Amino acid sequence: MDIVTRGRLNRATLARQHLLSREQVSAVDLVERLCGIQAQEARPPFVALWTRIAGFDRRELHEALHERRIVRATLLRGTLHLMSAADYLRFRHTLQPMLTASLRVLGSRANGLDLERLLPTARAILAAAPRSFTELRPLLQEAFPAVNDRALGYAVRTQLPLVMRPTQDRWSFPTVAAFTLADEWLPEPLSTVDETDQLALRYLGAFGPASAQDFHTWSGLAEAKQIMDRLRHKLEVFQDEQGRELFDLPEAPRPEEDVPAPVRYLPEFDNLVLAHSDRTRVLAEAHRGEVVTKNLRVRATFLVDGQVRGVWETTRKKDKAILTLRPFLPLSRGTLDELVEEGEALLRFQEPEAGTVEVTVAP
């Protein structure tokens, strides 16, 4: 069995993630190639596309959301993602067992929860008008006063297919966004076919080579090993340097590890740092705690030679937009020059009204 080094895993993943070079590709096509984009907050998906698409214009994603070609919804791991409307219709049913299993996290707060009564009630409320969960939870509690309001909201969010309704906000959604029924928002009904195998193949296309445990970490689906074993006859099988079994699509790109990788900025919650159980192909274990915080926020990061080398944040001071780098280790002058050039371009994308932009390095 061929051994794939960590360096080749890195370059293969960067190639699938469109991080070795920007390409001329539509927002819808790229979201599909990536099999969804994490979208816990409104702005990060725009940065994720900017860093991967040549000449990306914010309005393209905005229009795709309003034209219902891309949706923002609760999907993989029970978290918010952007997914093409076609993929949402195809895969939402496949993800339902994982979403149903996630109700376990409610523990005793689920006492008295009756899904057979709750879901029709929530459907009727949302059919009358889109609502945020801040608005929906009190209405649900009126109907079910003995049940924890957070449990009611969580159950509806995970068991009823819903999508967020876009607005004219800069990043297409306000901080507290309204949800609407997916089958009313989209022109076709959701598929009822189990597409687990296709989802696994799409995952490998976006993140491979990868292990069964990597697929489980990304999707939240149980029985990942059985799924990969079932697909084994269609796949290339490798080992990593620790002897773990990795699967991949036969024709997928696997560049050599010396292929140049330019500096890149990734937004908060980017799937690159979340889509594997073993993240060391892009993120050293020593720095994992500096990226993923104890309250499960995932900081915005920057890549140097394909590896996460630090985190970044932006602030606005009157007419100036500032991007602050917080490197894990000292940066060479040449690397810093590249990060400054790329960071200034990112600031002009994020803050087009700013008179001046500046990239700084924190002490």
Side-chain angles (χ1 to χ4, degrees), residues 179-240:
F179 285 78
T180 192
L181 297 167
D183 54 11
E184 292 193 354
W185 182 253
L186 297 172
E188 300 176 27
L190 274 65
S191 169
T192 57
V193 176
D194 183 353
E195 295 275 13
T196 303
D197 289 0
Q198 285 301 314
L199 186 66
L201 294 173
R202 291 282 296 280
Y203 167 75
L204 293 176
F207 297 100
S211 68
Q213 185 59 39
D214 290 330
F215 174 61
H216 169 73
T217 296
W218 173 79
S219 66
L221 291 175
E223 302 181 345
K225 185 178 186 304
Q226 294 90 320
I227 294 166
M228 289 301 176
D229 281 341
R230 188 165 64 237
L231 294 169
R232 183 182 296 270
H233 68 285
K234 297 182 177 182
L235 302 173
E236 295 280 351
V237 184
F238 305 97
Q239 281 186 346
D240 67 10

Side-chain angles (χ1 to χ4, degrees), residues 88 92 96 123 156 158-163 180-183 190:
Y88 180 86
R92 176 60 177 76
Q96 187 56 59
R123 172 175 282 280
V156 171
T158 55
Q159 307 309 299
L160 195 61
L162 306 173
V163 298
T180 192
L181 297 167
D183 54 11
L190 274 65

Side-chain angles (χ1 to χ4, degrees), residues 266 269-275 279 282-283 291-292 298 301 308:
L266 301 176
F269 303 102
D270 196 275
N271 279 354
L272 182 74
V273 297
L274 290 174
R279 303 176 189 180
V282 294
L283 173 62
V291 174
V292 182
V298 181
T301 60
V308 174

Side-chain angles (χ1 to χ4, degrees), residues 108-330:
S108 62
R109 290 179 296 169
N111 291 345
L113 192 65
D114 182 347
L115 294 179
E116 291 186 3
R117 294 177 57 216
L118 171 62
L119 299 185
T121 300
R123 172 175 282 280
I125 293 172
L126 290 166
R131 297 181 188 275
S132 70
F133 273 83
T134 302
E135 298 167 326
L136 181 61
R137 281 192 297 268
L139 298 175
L140 295 173
Q141 186 115 66
E142 287 181 18
F144 304 97
V147 185
N148 179 281
D149 69 325
R150 294 283 170 175
L152 292 169
Y154 186 79
V156 171
R157 183 189 296 268
T158 55
Q159 307 309 299
L160 195 61
L162 306 173
V163 298
M164 276 188 171
R165 192 179 182 95
T167 64
Q168 294 304 320
D169 287 75
R170 169 178 286 186
W171 307 115
S172 299
F173 299 95
T175 302
V176 180
F179 285 78
T180 192
L181 297 167
D183 54 11
E184 292 193 354
W185 182 253
L186 297 172
E188 300 176 27
L190 274 65
S191 169
T192 57
V193 176
D194 183 353
E195 295 275 13
T196 303
D197 289 0
Q198 285 301 314
L199 186 66
L201 294 173
R202 291 282 296 280
Y203 167 75
L204 293 176
F207 297 100
S211 68
Q213 185 59 39
D214 290 330
F215 174 61
H216 169 73
T217 296
W218 173 79
S219 66
L221 291 175
E223 302 181 345
K225 185 178 186 304
Q226 294 90 320
I227 294 166
M228 289 301 176
D229 281 341
R230 188 165 64 237
L231 294 169
R232 183 182 296 270
H233 68 285
K234 297 182 177 182
L235 302 173
E236 295 280 351
V237 184
F238 305 97
Q239 281 186 346
D240 67 10
E241 292 168 305
Q242 285 70 49
R244 287 177 289 235
E245 193 173 47
L246 304 176
F247 301 90
D248 204 7
L249 303 180
E251 303 303 322
R254 290 182 287 274
E256 296 297 329
E257 55 190 86
D258 59 355
V259 169
V263 299
R264 287 289 184 259
Y265 286 91
L266 301 176
E268 297 89 340
F269 303 102
D270 196 275
N271 279 354
L272 182 74
V273 297
L274 290 174
H276 300 89
S277 174
D278 177 11
R279 303 176 189 180
T280 57
R281 68 180 68 194
V282 294
L283 173 62
E285 195 62 34
H287 302 308
R288 184 166 175 164
E290 298 175 77
V291 174
V292 182
T293 67
K294 291 181 179 179
N295 62 354
L296 299 183
R297 285 197 61 79
V298 181
R299 293 190 171 107
T301 60
F302 61 86
L303 304 179
V304 176
D305 192 27
Q307 293 286 327
V308 174
R309 297 301 189 198
V311 297
W312 61 275
E313 59 195 23
T314 57
T315 53
R316 182 74 179 267
K317 293 184 178 179
K318 296 183 179 179
D319 198 37
K320 177 186 285 189
I322 303 169
L323 187 153
T324 302
L325 297 169
R326 300 185 184 278
F328 302 146
L329 298 168

